[in-house]
Amino acid sequence: MSKNKKVKHVLGLSGGKDSAALAIYMAREYPEIDIDYFFTDTGYELPEVYNFIERLESLLGKEVLRLNHNVRLINSDEPVFKRLLKEHNNFLPSGRQRWCTIRMKLEPFERWIKPFLDDGYEVISYVGIRADEPWRDGYVPNESQKNLTIKMPFAEDGIKKSGVFSILDSAGIGLPKYYEWRSRSGCTFCFFQRKIEWVRLMERYPKAFEEAKAFEKQAESSENGETFYWMGPNEPLTTLEDPARIAQIKENHEKALQRFEKKKLRERKRKLGMHAMVDEEKLIDTLSMDEIYDDIEGGGACITCYK
Ligand code: SF4
């Protein structure tokens, strides 16, 4: 890199623990780097996420740029997701067809950095992949983004999950409050959530749940709309109107949790130690959601949304 090259450092906050810890870590360990923090607001985030971003802002003493914070106001008569769903032939996004991440998270990011790249900047984007995770793409730059570099300081500096907890603890911010009931940030209707999390969404945020149901209804006009839903094939959210189904989901989750606790709790306590603010035992349900269901962390979800 030439000495006079213009460089822009950026770090995306998803509302999740790893990106938050990374922002704190960078501010502490690399104070000489002037980083622009950003949050790509889909307009369908949890209230706890907004709250956590605001607390981070105070902690960092720096504004976190909202890349599309008024996304719902573009056309107030038509919620943005309703419009996007139409543009995608009313096919709900899924693990295989994750158009939502592209449209609501990646495109705003690309639009934001494009003028800098066009202006000859090298853009360095820091992502919170940890040293104890399998390597995953933070964001794969395309042909026109040759000057975009992805860096993973946690992976490079050997910071693991316990290190992330320590950073959040020592900064006095702890974990985002949604960990009391849900395992990751992202849209209220995210299809990566477990059935138990849908039940909890319904109980905590009935309006957001009804909105998700309305999108399913809209998706019924797509070619496969009658069989594919947020929770998977043949199980629309309306099935949660049946108290017996809710009881069954809760019971199944409780059993899975008990199995996991038996197997892992002692080992985890020994490994991670207990933290002042991050009470591993109390939050084992959400902090370990993927492990409870034998999945890798994130359950395959895009790091842009939950990291
Ligand atoms: S959080 Fe889920 S629904 Fe939202 S953009 Fe990401 S993958 Fe899609």
Side-chain angles (χ1 to χ4, degrees):
M1 181 171 42
S2 103
K3 219 176 167 194
N4 295 324
K5 183 152 190 175
K6 295 183 281 189
V7 181
K8 186 158 191 68
H9 303 268
V10 302
L11 193 157
L13 295 159
S14 64
K17 66 181 186 326
D18 294 316
S19 58
L22 182 61
I24 297 165
Y25 179 77
M26 293 303 290
R28 273 182 191 164
E29 301 296 321
Y30 304 96
E32 70 284 3
I33 304 179
D34 182 21
I35 298 180
D36 283 355
Y37 303 103
F38 67 94
F39 168 57
T40 315
D41 183 354
T42 62
Y44 297 91
E45 311 284 340
L46 295 164
E48 293 96 324
V49 167
Y50 294 117
N51 175 277
F52 191 58
I53 297 286
E54 277 167 24
R55 288 170 59 219
L56 261 176
E57 232 166 11
S58 320
L59 189 67
L60 296 165
K62 208 168 174 182
E63 189 194 357
V64 173
L65 191 67
R66 272 72 164 174
L67 291 194
N68 51 351
H69 71 282
N70 58 352
V71 77
R72 279 188 174 214
L73 304 177
I74 294 170
N75 178 350
S76 56
D77 291 333
E78 189 174 53
V80 70
F81 191 77
K82 191 176 175 186
R83 176 166 51 80
L84 291 176
L85 195 52
K86 250 194 250 167
E87 284 174 23
H88 289 265
N89 299 320
N90 288 323
F91 280 90
L92 288 176
S94 66
R96 284 180 169 189
Q97 298 282 333
R98 206 183 301 157
W99 58 257
C100 49
T101 311
I102 297 170
R103 300 299 306 275
M104 299 201 293
K105 293 276 182 183
L106 299 182
E107 285 180 2
F109 172 68
E110 288 172 353
R111 275 200 296 275
W112 176 51
I113 59 164
K114 188 174 183 303
F116 297 106
L117 294 173
D118 290 348
D119 196 25
Y121 274 82
E122 178 186 6
V123 176
I124 300 178
S125 175
Y126 298 89
V127 298
I129 303 284
R130 304 184 312 258
D132 57 340
E133 291 183 285
W135 190 90
R136 270 184 274 173
D137 294 335
Y139 174 88
V140 184
N142 62 37
E143 270 302 294
S144 65
Q145 296 169 330
K146 289 204 172 83
N147 280 336
L148 172 63
T149 307
I150 308 297
K151 285 200 172 174
M152 304 179 192
F154 280 166
E156 282 165 24
D157 296 354
I159 308 288
K160 299 181 183 172
K161 198 177 198 175
S162 54
V164 163
F165 289 157
S166 297
I167 292 166
L168 296 172
D169 265 357
S170 61
I173 191 165
L175 287 168
K177 285 271 180 242
Y178 59 77
Y179 272 114
E180 287 169 9
W181 64 280
R182 180 167 145 152
S183 59
R184 61 178 71 95
S185 55
C187 304
T188 48
F189 49 71
C190 185
F191 47 86
F192 281 115
Q193 63 196 306
R194 306 276 171 191
K195 288 184 176 137
I196 186 70
E197 294 173 298
W198 278 110
V199 170
R200 293 169 182 171
L201 178 75
M202 184 177 66
E203 290 171 347
R204 290 196 178 226
Y205 296 110
K207 264 173 111 176
F209 182 80
E210 288 304 317
E211 189 172 46
K213 251 164 75 178
F215 294 139
E216 267 188 349
K217 191 98 201 112
Q218 185 182 337
E220 280 180 3
S221 61
S222 69
E223 278 169 36
N224 68 349
E226 282 162 31
T227 53
F228 182 79
Y229 300 95
W230 290 123
M231 288 199 291
N234 304 314
E235 193 165 19
L237 293 177
T238 47
T239 55
L240 299 187
E241 283 162 11
D242 178 4
R245 179 67 184 128
I246 293 176
Q248 189 186 40
I249 290 172
K250 286 184 175 176
E251 195 188 317
N252 289 348
H253 179 67
E254 200 47 45
K255 280 185 190 156
L257 179 61
Q258 280 169 12
R259 277 196 302 273
F260 175 77
E261 278 180 328
K262 259 195 200 151
K263 206 169 88 187
K264 292 273 181 175
L265 188 56
R266 206 168 298 145
E267 182 193 325
R268 288 171 67 85
K269 269 187 184 172
R270 204 187 56 234
K271 251 195 197 165
L272 301 177
M274 298 309 288
H275 303 272
M277 294 186 67
V278 180
D279 189 338
E280 174 84 5
E281 194 167 8
K282 211 168 149 199
L283 299 178
I284 191 159
D285 177 301
T286 49
L287 281 175
S288 312
M289 187 70 83
D290 294 319
E291 289 164 84
I292 291 168
Y293 290 94
D294 282 332
D295 214 340
I296 54 161
E297 186 175 331
C302 172
I303 59 157
T304 313
C305 299
Y306 87 93
K307 256 290 156 202

